[in-house]
Amino acid sequence: MIGCYGKKGTGLNSKHNTCLISKFVTQCTSTFLFQCKNRPHLRGEYNVYSTFQSHEPEFDYLKSLEIEEKINKIRWLPQQNSAHFLLSTNDKTIKLWKIGERDKRAEGYNLKDEDGRLRDPFRITSLRVPVLMPMDLMVEASPRRVFANAHTYHINSISVNSDHQTYLSADDLRINLWHLEITDRSFNIVDIKPANMEELTEVITAAECHPNQCNVFVYSSSKGTIRLCDMRTAALCDRHTKFFEEPEDPSSRSFFSEIISSISDVKFSHSGRYMMTRDYLSVKVWDLNMENRPVETYQVHEYLRSKLCSLYENDCIFDKFECCWNGSDSAIMTGSYNNFFRMFDRNTRKDITLEASRESSKPRATLKPRKVSTGGKRKKDEISVDSLDFNKKILHTAWHPKENVIAVAATNNLYIFQDKIN
């Protein structure tokens, strides 16, 4: 997954513009941080800032279950000082990391030589005061806390709350509330596990904290529903405050209806007025004050509706696509197959399909719009729906919170694009 971090005026610190953190779509075991180049004519170009191992493979001996080291989610914490903090999680364990810089080292120790060897105490005849000397910049990633043993099922979401002190973690059946300073216990605020597992009809697919109200959060389900909860009403939020669901058209119901209606991602707008959900074929924008239907619906790849049978056979129909807002909430972005990603302008209702590929990602190259042909004849610049490569998919996208800079993860490549500079 990829996540953008930005702060008005500064990014990493006063010297740097912004920072992107990424974990590639494949089952990668490391976390990569990218740093924007600090030159105006290279705006939008990034260097690798740091790489560190976030999780190690584990084995649950009680359940004879191997826990992979792959990272499911990464979330930045709001910056409080010169260091940066982020949460990362695999299927079972959440970790808090501190990312800091060090460009000075102490020299002139009393008990050690410059090479680190201990000095003979009998030869120490004077007291030395260590001094700080400049050194090559080092970026250090150190684990500060480990939040473990709280989820029976695989963690699919983490979301930092607006109070900057707590965060949510969600698995298939439960949502837990954590305090960033407490690692040995959490509060279970949602539990949809039935007494008899044979009665289970839906699972939790994503959870997100409201950007402004620390008591409000939403979670989505595999049935295509969204529940908004208020933690002030009860300690256990099994009874939702609002319930968002679009009525299904009975004439279009099929064997795949429930699968493609499952929500893979939910995101609040920066203003907190709207939320966006992504299902298999579309992106929907909901007004928090209107529960019965979305206010906007954008078809991402409607041409795949005729291919659902083959997509079911190759398991692509279970792919979980993410979605994201731009900084002003005026546009949204999500991924598709063949390394395509879609962008929708909410004001003009215009949309564009672009492709992330090595051929089109040369520096200063302009991306050309792509179109998919569903009929027999197709134009020169169009690609047939039968020619789409379903092994190439963009599941993870991110949009810079202040600038028109986007990042998309395609298989094991991360692509960063920016708007055209006049």
Side-chain angles (χ1 to χ4, degrees), residues 299-310:
Q299 301 299 332
V300 178
H301 39 217
E302 182 65 18
Y303 47 79
L304 295 182
R305 191 175 289 275
S306 61
K307 303 287 183 182
L308 293 180
C309 186
S310 58

Side-chain angles (χ1 to χ4, degrees), residues 323-336:
C323 52
C324 63
W325 302 85
N326 71 339
S328 61
D329 298 333
S330 61
I332 58 181
M333 177 175 62
T334 190
S336 181

Side-chain angles (χ1 to χ4, degrees), residues 33 36 113 122 144 185 208 220 234 251 267 273 392 401:
L33 282 83
C36 184
D113 292 326
F122 297 101
R144 302 308 298 267
R185 64 183 180 273
E208 179 89 356
S220 57
S251 62
K267 294 281 176 58
R273 170 70 184 275
K392 296 180 179 179

Side-chain angles (χ1 to χ4, degrees), residues 348-367:
T348 64
R349 293 303 178 98
K350 292 183 178 179
D351 63 90
I352 189 172
T353 302
L354 301 171
E355 181 181 6
S357 64
R358 290 184 178 273
E359 292 75 19
S360 61
S361 62
K362 297 178 181 178
R364 310 298 173 198
T366 302
L367 293 178

Side-chain angles (χ1 to χ4, degrees), residues 134-195:
M135 58 175 286
D136 293 336
L137 179 67
M138 288 182 59
V139 180
E140 297 179 323
S142 55
R144 302 308 298 267
R145 293 178 182 85
V146 177
F147 308 87
N149 304 321
H151 285 276
T152 304
Y153 306 97
H154 291 176
I155 299 171
N156 56 45
S157 298
I158 51 175
S159 179
V160 181
N161 209 341
S162 59
D163 60 8
H164 303 170
Q165 296 180 345
T166 58
Y167 72 92
L168 298 179
S169 62
D171 62 27
D172 289 342
L173 299 180
R174 296 187 178 97
I175 299 177
N176 293 335
L177 177 68
W178 298 83
H179 194 286
L180 287 166
E181 301 292 335
I182 302 173
T183 62
D184 59 350
R185 64 183 180 273
S186 61
F187 297 96
N188 177 225
I189 57 175
V190 173
D191 187 350
I192 65 170
K193 183 179 179 180

